[in-house]
Amino acid sequence: MSEENNKKTRTGIVVSDKMDKTVVVAVERKTQHDLYKRVINRTTRFKAHDEENECNEGDKVKIIETRPISKEKNWKVDEILRKAK
């Protein structure tokens, strides 16, 4: 059980579901600009494993870090927080 707590989790929006058993999740974080001190948005895109192909574009999902599944995929969809309309 302690192993599960050490894994990183992120929350983001599904931006692509065109691949089989894979979704692309955009995770947005706010950071302060070093010089101008303004808050700016930074977006990182993760490829996540979706075994049942349940996710659709626009869904809000929680992803969890896992062992490497393929070259670029080492996250999996933990749960769907909100379905797209």
Side-chain angles (χ1 to χ4, degrees):
M1 198 57 146
S2 62
E3 256 182 53
E4 198 70 27
N5 296 338
N6 294 340
K7 298 190 179 183
K8 296 176 190 168
T9 61
R10 302 280 185 268
T11 303
I13 305 292
V14 176
V15 292
S16 173
D17 64 340
K18 293 177 181 172
M19 295 171 274
D20 187 33
K21 297 186 180 181
T22 303
V23 291
V24 180
V25 180
V27 176
E28 198 171 85
R29 59 188 166 87
K30 294 185 184 301
T31 183
Q32 192 178 48
H33 192 279
D34 292 333
L35 179 61
Y36 300 116
K37 309 302 182 198
R38 294 291 300 258
V39 176
I40 53 177
N41 291 327
R42 293 285 184 203
T43 304
T44 309
R45 290 160 53 108
F46 295 103
K47 288 190 175 75
H49 187 65
D50 179 21
E51 183 65 40
E52 305 296 324
N53 284 324
E54 298 170 327
C55 297
N56 295 316
E57 224 171 284
D59 290 353
K60 185 173 186 175
V61 295
K62 184 171 117 180
I63 58 175
I64 190 166
E65 194 176 36
T66 184
R67 64 178 180 80
I69 298 168
S70 68
K71 180 181 176 184
E72 296 179 328
K73 192 165 62 166
N74 53 6
W75 294 81
K76 70 177 179 180
V77 176
D78 192 32
E79 62 179 307
I80 299 172
L81 301 174
R82 188 185 70 229
K83 294 292 277 181
K85 294 181 180 174

